[in-house]
Amino acid sequence: MIIREILVKNIGGGYNYFSLENIDTRTFAESDPRGFLHSAGEKFILDEVQNVPALFSYLQEILDNATENGKVILLGSQSFLMNQHISQSLAGRVAMLKLLPLSYSELKNANLASDNIAHNLFTGGYPRLHNEKIENLTTFARFIKLCAGRAGNVLNTKIKRIVC
């Protein structure tokens, strides 16, 4: 479980949690967005919400009719507000929070920091890397290169659209 899920699931307040990574949940949300949101309950959390962009128009209606703030929490591993249609639907209706990696002092307080600076730089501030041992560095290095290549391709594509 990743840190943002742990944080959000433990906020209390009786929120129902739905991960749109789950195929059955995502299929229900795509095939019947209104029915899915109606069944979600009074307060709910939608994780990986960018996987079902059609939900945002329906969410707009729910948020417009809400009598109090904070009934819906949206999570995503990608910035769904980058999508123009989605950002238009949610304009003025959301607060966006960015969850950063843990700081060195937070890692130290949790007894996750090492005295070895190189180790701290290698593992960074993501708790999962401290809890799991990475033994095959070749595979990990390949993974990092693939991530960097993908990020570079996305950036190049966006730059081309802006320039051209």
Side-chain angles (χ1 to χ4, degrees):
M1 181 176 295
I2 57 177
I3 194 76
R4 74 161 194 263
E5 290 175 33
I6 295 168
L7 288 172
V8 172
K9 285 181 178 180
N10 288 298
I11 62 170
Y15 285 86
N16 296 320
Y17 175 86
F18 301 92
S19 172
L20 295 171
E21 283 288 312
N22 179 290
I23 294 171
D24 294 331
T25 305
R26 186 170 59 235
T27 301
F28 179 26
E30 289 171 334
S31 64
D32 183 10
R34 189 177 302 280
F36 171 75
L37 292 172
H38 180 72
S39 70
E42 185 70 20
K43 292 180 168 184
F44 56 91
I45 299 165
L46 298 180
D47 196 1
E48 298 300 340
V49 69
Q50 77 277 356
N51 290 334
V52 187
L55 281 178
F56 289 97
S57 292
Y58 293 92
L59 282 167
Q60 177 182 353
E61 182 181 340
I62 289 172
L63 296 172
D64 285 346
N65 294 323
T67 56
E68 66 181 85
N69 294 331
K71 288 188 169 193
V72 179
I73 298 175
L74 306 177
L75 303 174
S77 56
Q78 300 173 19
S79 179
F80 44 83
L81 293 176
M82 295 300 288
N83 180 312
Q84 184 179 359
H85 174 69
I86 294 169
S87 61
Q88 209 169 16
S89 299
L90 298 178
R93 296 173 181 85
V94 297
M96 187 168 163
L97 304 175
K98 188 172 190 172
L99 184 61
L100 299 171
L102 298 174
S103 69
Y104 177 75
S105 61
E106 290 170 319
L107 290 170
K108 193 170 182 168
N109 290 339
N111 294 321
L112 294 173
S114 168
D115 291 333
N116 182 330
I117 294 173
H119 175 78
N120 291 325
L121 292 172
F122 179 72
T123 53
Y126 294 98
R128 191 173 198 170
L129 294 177
H130 291 271
N131 293 333
E132 297 176 12
K133 299 290 182 212
I134 301 172
E135 295 178 15
N136 186 341
L137 294 179
T138 304
T139 302
F140 183 69
R142 188 177 315 129
F143 170 72
I144 294 298
K145 287 177 185 174
L146 286 169
C147 288
R150 180 159 170 23
N153 286 339
V154 170
L155 182 61
N156 286 338
T157 303
K158 289 185 180 194
I159 289 172
K160 284 178 187 174
R161 272 191 251 150
I162 293 169
V163 173
C164 297

